[in-house]
């Protein structure tokens, strides 16, 4: 355990990816039964080989940014951070019903100029969902492999009569190519002979 001071507030549902000798954290939510808060802040955890240090990435206030969320997909390619999908909700009040949102959007942030004198400002950029993206869903599992962000499964929750929730789970696989910024479905075929080791080509 690293005795870190400062850093992100207490939360769950956030995502972390490695970047160079650091790690990048984005989003998450906090729910203590009295209040629910979702986050869209970006933090860098540096000095991982020593004491560790948190630094928040600040963006211009006029810059559009991803809606606060949890359960999203996070990927890193070279110096560019990618955020896809996620989930957020607003609790009911006497003025409005509870409202849940499954986010079906894609964002990126180039960190190359971070901490560089005269470097480009760090801003969010929304990206068109090119190619064949996964159908809308939440809780998708993600892993980065080379230039690709692999997305597996997920769930869609629908409210039915009687206040019950009907959930549909998925086991399909998609790839987001972070260099070309395009989605593709991946169709896996059973090998003719059992394989001891499976190697994915980049």
């Amino acid at each position: 355990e690293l005795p870190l001071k400062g850093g992100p507030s207490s939360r769950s549902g956030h995502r972390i990816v490695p970047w160079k000798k650091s790690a990048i954290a984005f989003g998450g939510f906090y729910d203590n039964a009295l209040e629910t808060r979702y986050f869209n802040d970006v933090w860098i955890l540096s000095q991982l080989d020593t004491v560790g240090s948190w630094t928040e990435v600040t963006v211009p206030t006029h810059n559009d940014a991803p809606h606060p969320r949890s359960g999203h997909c996070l990927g890193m390619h070279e110096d560019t951070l990618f955020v896809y999908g996620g989930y957020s909700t607003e609790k009911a009040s006497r003025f409005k019903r509870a409202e849940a949102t499954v986010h079906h959007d894609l964002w990126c942030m180039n960190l190359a100029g971070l901490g560089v004198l005269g470097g480009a400002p760090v801003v969010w950029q929304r990206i068109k969902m090119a190619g064949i993206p996964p159908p809308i869903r939440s809780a998708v599992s993600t892993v980065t492999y080379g230039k690709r962000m692999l997305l597996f499964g997920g769930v869609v929750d629908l409210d039915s009569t009687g206040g019950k929730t009907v959930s549909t789970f998925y086991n399909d696989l998609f790839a987001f190519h972070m260099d070309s910024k395009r989605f593709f479905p991946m169709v896996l075929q059973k090998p003719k002979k059992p394989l001891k080791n499976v190697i994915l080509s980049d």
Side-chain angles (χ1 to χ4, degrees):
E1 180 180 353
L2 296 176
L4 301 178
K5 295 182 179 180
S9 58
S10 300
R11 65 188 64 188
S12 179
H14 52 287
R15 297 292 185 263
I16 298 179
V17 292
W19 176 51
K20 298 181 179 179
K21 296 182 179 181
S22 303
I24 311 293
F26 171 80
F29 79 103
Y30 172 82
D31 189 342
N32 64 356
L34 297 177
E35 64 170 330
T36 303
R37 287 180 288 156
Y38 284 81
F39 304 96
N40 64 348
D41 46 355
V42 180
W43 290 83
I44 298 178
L45 178 57
S46 57
Q47 303 180 49
L48 293 176
D49 54 345
T50 54
V51 296
S53 176
W54 283 111
T55 304
E56 185 174 7
V57 177
T58 57
V59 297
T61 56
H62 59 79
N63 178 220
D64 290 335
H67 192 279
R69 64 191 67 193
S70 70
H72 44 279
C73 298
L74 198 64
M76 196 83 196
H77 174 54
E78 295 179 344
D79 294 320
T80 302
L81 179 72
F82 292 90
V83 175
Y84 165 72
Y87 176 88
S88 63
T89 184
E90 294 182 15
K91 285 191 173 182
S93 67
R94 59 176 184 166
F95 302 107
K96 62 182 297 186
R97 297 175 56 188
E99 183 176 337
T101 301
V102 178
H103 300 283
H104 193 56
D105 52 359
L106 177 66
W107 297 77
C108 73
M109 171 186 281
N110 192 313
L111 300 173
L114 195 66
V116 178
L117 184 64
V122 176
V123 295
W124 282 110
Q125 178 185 0
R126 185 163 183 171
I127 309 172
K128 179 183 177 181
M129 302 274 284
I132 305 176
I136 187 169
R137 62 187 64 172
S138 61
V140 179
S141 293
T142 311
V143 65
T144 298
Y145 180 80
K147 300 177 182 179
R148 294 180 293 179
M149 186 164 63
L150 304 179
L151 305 96
F152 176 78
V155 63
V156 173
D157 296 323
L158 297 176
D159 294 330
S160 62
T161 57
K164 295 183 178 181
T165 300
V166 177
S167 300
T168 302
F169 294 86
Y170 296 89
N171 65 346
D172 46 2
L173 181 66
F174 286 79
F176 173 64
H177 291 239
M178 293 182 284
D179 52 346
S180 62
K181 300 181 178 62
R182 297 180 68 86
F183 287 93
F184 296 95
M186 298 184 68
V187 180
L188 303 183
Q189 298 179 348
K190 292 184 178 180
K192 296 180 180 180
K193 296 181 179 180
L195 299 178
K196 293 183 179 180
N197 297 303
V198 177
I199 300 177
L200 295 176
S201 60
D202 190 10

